[in-house]
Amino acid sequence: MCINAKTRVQVTMKVFKFGGASIKNAAAIRNMCDIIKNHQNEQLIVVVSAMGKSTNTLEEIHKLSLSGKEVNQQVNEFIKYHLEIANELFGDHEIIEQEIGDWRQYLEESLSDDTLNTNQHYACIVSVGELLSSSIIGHYLIECGISTTWTDVRKLILTDDVSPEANVDWTATQKRITAYVNEHDTQQVILTQGFVAANNDNQTTTLGREGSDYTGAIFASCLDAESFTVWKDVPGILNADPRRIDDAVLFDELSYNETSEMTYYGAKVIHPKTIKPLANKNIPLYVRCFDNPEKDGTKIHNCETIHTLPVIVFKDNQCLVSFKSKDLTFVNEKGISVIFEVMHDLSIDMSIMQNSAVSFSICIDYNTAKIEQLIEALNEQFDIRYNTDLELVTIKNYNHESIHKYLPKGEILLEQKSRSNYRVLVSK
């Protein structure tokens, strides 16, 4: 709930998040506008991602520029993509084209700024996707008669540093968000960016890939919102990726705990950090399909439902890293703690681990730079070997039938079973 500073009327707040697929072209943005129109009588905060696969393009531009390679082609394609969408929405609209020119200048200045460290360089470049998409969408919502105010999220969400997955300063963020909303006209849609934030020095930061879900949860939590809705290209949360499993089944509802487990195992429907701030305030999360907005989708809330349906999660591009003591002593708690400390410093997340007397193995997302840094930091203490191009499959609520049905072919490099979960790492 929030209070309008002028009228002091108590207002119900809802938060919507639209991801890249839901705003990938002009038709998708028109559809988004229709969804918002249907909720005009409610106070809305709308969080948007970069359009389509723009973040992938910007990450490529970042990597190429760091290596001293030419990026003009990629920058031109990025700008052309947005300009075509803007022109289709507005026609020959000089205001939008000027804004696109401004963002292009910002991008090019970031590329050539030698004072930025690697993380700052990354944040400044990739944030252009959200900033530009929200500018175009903001103008279009106004064109459609929806009273909208564009808000720079970097003035509202404060983080501790400029790492690619910066930590939120919740106390400062709460104060900024509530102060802004309390002064805001409750009849206007507040439009802002996901994934992006800033630190105390007003440097642009990011919340991690796919972090727009998390942004929406931050706003919902700080404002004690009635609900948070994520609009996606799937009908809700299913027990498997429908692009890989033909008979995937939709969940009508899930508990916070069940959803957290699924995201931990690698399910891509919701960003892993999204659930906790919502659960803390008992705010329901709805996952709904933007192509069928009349459908309820999946409701994630504080419920006691117990699902026996197997949940199958595939995690690609995995790497198995194995550590052995050079003197053949046991890899005990002390040795493992050293490995964990380095992983923490390098922001390496672990998917699964397993140890024997003289070795310790972890499964992580494959990233060449991170692997090289990990080996460099630990090769004096351990013999380190790794396998790449692996797939981690998790079957939650497994039975023998589901293991037989969903286990992929390939050599099994690691296998774990618990009372309810079966996890296997296989080579492709």
Side-chain angles (χ1 to χ4, degrees):
M1 308 292 283
C2 68
I3 305 294
N4 183 281
K6 297 177 181 178
T7 63
R8 312 307 295 172
V9 175
Q10 202 167 41
V11 179
T12 299
M13 173 70 67
K14 291 184 178 180
V15 181
F16 284 179
K17 178 261 177 174
F18 291 88
S22 64
I23 53 172
K24 64 183 178 181
N25 53 36
I29 293 171
R30 292 189 186 101
N31 181 63
M32 171 197 175
C33 179
D34 290 339
I35 292 172
I36 293 174
K37 277 184 178 179
N38 290 331
H39 295 269
Q40 279 192 96
N41 294 329
E42 301 158 320
Q43 188 177 15
L44 286 181
I45 288 183
V46 176
V47 175
V48 296
S49 300
M51 293 179 178
K53 300 294 184 180
S54 294
T55 302
N56 292 342
T57 301
L58 291 167
E59 285 189 337
E60 180 186 4
I61 291 171
H62 164 66
K63 291 177 182 177
L64 288 172
S65 65
L66 285 181
S67 61
K69 296 181 180 178
E70 180 59 57
V71 296
N72 280 341
Q73 178 182 345
Q74 288 79 4
V75 170
N76 289 337
E77 289 175 356
F78 172 81
I79 296 298
K80 180 183 177 184
Y81 168 63
H82 289 81
L83 188 58
E84 288 176 349
I85 291 175
N87 284 336
E88 188 173 345
L89 291 172
F90 307 107
D92 186 15
H93 202 295
E94 293 182 1
I95 295 176
I96 292 297
E97 293 187 11
Q98 178 59 49
E99 287 204 22
I100 289 177
D102 292 342
W103 289 122
R104 180 185 187 117
Q105 182 178 350
Y106 174 78
L107 176 60
E108 292 176 345
E109 287 175 354
S110 299
L111 286 167
S112 60
D113 190 345
D114 295 332
T115 67
L116 300 175
N117 65 36
T118 301
N119 288 335
Q120 290 173 316
H121 190 264
Y122 173 85
C124 287
I125 291 172
V126 298
S127 63
V128 173
E130 277 73 15
L131 294 166
L132 182 50
S133 72
S134 62
S135 291
I136 294 171
I137 290 168
H139 281 287
Y140 184 66
L141 291 176
I142 293 171
E143 289 270 327
C144 293
I146 299 174
S147 182
T148 306
T149 182
W150 183 92
T151 303
D152 190 335
V153 76
R154 294 173 294 182
K155 296 179 180 179
L156 301 179
I157 296 181
L158 185 72
T159 61
D160 59 350
D161 57 27
V162 292
S163 70
E165 295 187 32
N167 296 309
V168 174
D169 182 335
W170 279 93
T171 301
T173 297
Q174 172 94 46
K175 291 179 179 178
R176 292 182 180 196
I177 289 177
T178 53
Y180 177 81
V181 173
N182 286 345
E183 296 171 357
H184 183 70
D185 182 355
T186 60
Q187 301 303 308
Q188 286 190 317
V189 171
I190 297 174
L191 177 69
T192 193
Q193 307 81 35
F195 175 56
V196 183
N199 65 8
N200 270 318
D201 296 324
N202 293 321
Q203 295 171 321
T204 301
T205 66
T206 55
L207 302 176
R209 280 302 306 263
E210 313 299 333
S212 294
D213 292 347
Y214 186 36
T215 301
I218 292 168
F219 275 96
S221 177
C222 288
L223 297 167
D224 292 322
E226 177 185 304
S227 64
F228 173 38
T229 302
V230 175
W231 296 92
K232 299 185 71 70
D233 57 353
V234 290
I237 296 183
L238 297 93
N239 73 320
D241 186 339
R243 291 164 293 193
R244 303 184 67 159
I245 302 295
D246 292 334
D247 57 353
V249 177
L250 175 69
F251 289 111
D252 292 328
E253 64 175 351
L254 285 169
S255 69
Y256 294 123
N257 286 338
E258 287 176 295
T259 310
S260 290
E261 276 196 75
M262 292 170 66
T263 60
Y264 172 78
Y265 293 139
K268 299 294 187 183
V269 177
I270 297 295
H271 188 277
K273 291 184 178 180
T274 304
I275 301 301
K276 187 176 186 297
L278 300 175
N280 288 345
K281 296 288 188 72
N282 200 25
I283 298 169
L285 167 63
Y286 296 91
V287 179
R288 300 174 64 183
C289 181
F290 55 75
D291 286 328
N292 294 289
E294 71 282 356
K295 302 291 186 181
D296 292 334
T298 302
K299 180 180 180 180
I300 300 162
H301 61 131
N302 186 18
C303 61
E304 297 297 329
T305 55
I306 299 175
H307 297 287
T308 58
L309 188 70
V311 175
I312 305 94
V313 180
F314 299 94
K315 201 169 185 182
D316 297 318
N317 194 36
Q318 296 298 287
C319 175
L320 180 64
V321 186
S322 297
F323 305 86
K324 284 188 177 182
S325 296
K326 290 193 172 183
D327 58 3
L328 296 182
T329 57
F330 291 161
V331 180
N332 56 18
E333 291 82 357
K334 184 176 180 180
I336 293 174
S337 69
V338 171
I339 296 170
F340 280 175
E341 184 175 358
V342 172
M343 291 173 60
H344 173 76
D345 292 341
L346 295 175
S347 298
I348 295 176
D349 295 325
M350 177 176 60
S351 301
I352 195 170
M353 65 179 177
Q354 190 161 291
N355 67 293
S356 64
V358 295
S359 70
F360 178 68
S361 298
I362 57 171
C363 174
I364 61 176
D365 292 339
Y366 178 63
N367 180 300
T368 304
K370 292 282 181 76
I371 291 292
E372 291 175 352
Q373 291 171 324
L374 184 66
I375 292 174
E376 183 180 358
L378 294 169
N379 64 2
E380 290 187 5
Q381 296 170 261
F382 302 98
D383 286 323
I384 305 173
R385 297 185 180 184
Y386 64 93
N387 302 78
T388 61
D389 197 25
L390 308 180
E391 181 179 51
L392 177 62
V393 182
T394 300
I395 305 178
K396 188 176 181 292
N397 306 324
Y398 74 92
N399 52 34
H400 294 298
E401 180 184 353
S402 60
I403 292 176
H404 176 75
K405 183 176 182 179
Y406 300 115
L407 182 64
K409 296 179 180 180
E411 179 187 1
I412 295 177
L413 302 182
L414 187 152
E415 184 178 29
Q416 287 185 1
K417 281 186 182 181
S418 66
R419 190 171 298 175
S420 59
N421 298 322
Y422 174 73
R423 311 190 75 192
V424 60
L425 186 68
V426 298
S427 61
K428 288 191 172 182

